[in-house]
Amino acid sequence: MIEERLAGLADAAIAEKTQEVEAADWHMIEKSIMLQSLDHHWKEHLSTLDALRQVVHLRAYAQKTPINEYKQEAFALFERMLENIREDVTSSIARVQFRMEAPQPQFDLPVLPDFITTHIDPFSGEDNSADIDGSQLAGITTTIPRAPVDNVAAGEFANLDISRNALCPCGSGQKYKHCHGALS
């Protein structure tokens, strides 16, 4: 009679909780609680089995077969784990409380263009893309400053046997591959 009363009260409490939340959400809550409990207890069970495996050989001193002792104790531990999961899930579901909070206000974010790019032409050092780029939004200049080269013929330093990463002999201060090496 006491069991029936307790079961009736528990069913009424759960029915009241399910009315607070939509059926699909309630199913997800039950599933989440079950998986969390199962995960926790399964990890504990595995670590207990590992500890049992390490000490079960001592049963041989008591004239018992270690493998049979391991099987019996592992089975008992598994049954105890299932019982603990049932109790844990039932108590968690019985204690769960729902608090509905108002949604947070959304802040207005700046509108960014669909495609942001920068393409610097290796010959001129200027941005030659026709679309808007991130550097224009941030106020960054995209042209690379170049020192003017006076009194030098265009092909004078081109096609020389100079390392691409060495400074250009024209005196611009740039690497050869970005200055006169780019012409070749």
Side-chain angles (χ1 to χ4, degrees):
M1 186 167 110
I2 293 175
E3 269 186 43
E4 290 175 11
R5 264 194 189 161
L6 288 175
L9 290 173
D11 289 341
I14 296 298
E16 184 180 321
K17 288 184 185 217
T18 57
Q19 291 175 356
E20 293 178 20
V21 185
E22 293 181 21
D25 291 339
W26 179 253
H27 180 69
M28 292 301 293
I29 291 168
E30 286 179 331
K31 187 177 177 180
S32 174
I33 291 172
M34 179 69 175
L35 287 174
Q36 287 174 358
S37 178
L38 182 66
D39 183 50
H40 171 72
H41 288 289
W42 182 249
K43 287 178 184 176
E44 283 185 3
H45 177 70
L46 291 177
S47 66
T48 306
L49 285 180
D50 190 39
L52 177 63
R53 184 179 54 84
Q54 292 176 2
V55 297
V56 78
H57 69 280
L58 298 175
R59 305 288 170 92
Y61 294 124
Q63 301 295 324
K64 296 183 179 180
T65 309
I67 189 72
N68 290 338
E69 291 293 313
Y70 179 79
K71 286 179 185 178
Q72 289 174 352
E73 285 200 34
F75 185 72
L77 287 171
F78 184 75
E79 286 181 337
R80 196 173 319 141
M81 178 195 69
L82 291 177
E83 185 179 322
N84 288 339
I85 288 173
R86 285 187 203 105
E87 289 177 7
D88 191 28
V89 168
T90 304
S91 66
S92 295
I93 288 177
R95 292 185 189 137
V96 71
Q97 294 180 357
F98 303 107
R99 284 183 267 146
M100 304 298 176
E101 295 180 4
Q104 297 290 332
Q106 296 293 329
F107 298 106
D108 292 331
L109 298 175
V111 178
L112 296 176
D114 291 337
F115 189 72
I116 298 176
T117 182
T118 300
H119 181 264
I120 298 177
D121 183 22
F123 297 113
S124 66
E126 296 179 4
D127 183 6
N128 66 354
S129 59
D131 59 350
I132 187 170
D133 60 5
S135 64
Q136 291 175 350
L137 294 174
I140 301 170
T141 60
T142 57
T143 57
I144 299 172
R146 297 195 182 268
V149 180
D150 296 333
N151 302 328
V152 177
E156 184 177 344
F157 296 108
N159 297 327
L160 293 177
D161 189 23
I162 300 173
S163 172
R164 289 175 37 86
N165 291 323
L167 292 177
C168 189
C170 72
S172 66
Q174 297 181 351
K175 292 184 178 182
Y176 180 69
K177 65 183 176 184
H178 292 300
C179 193
H180 284 90
L183 298 174
S184 59

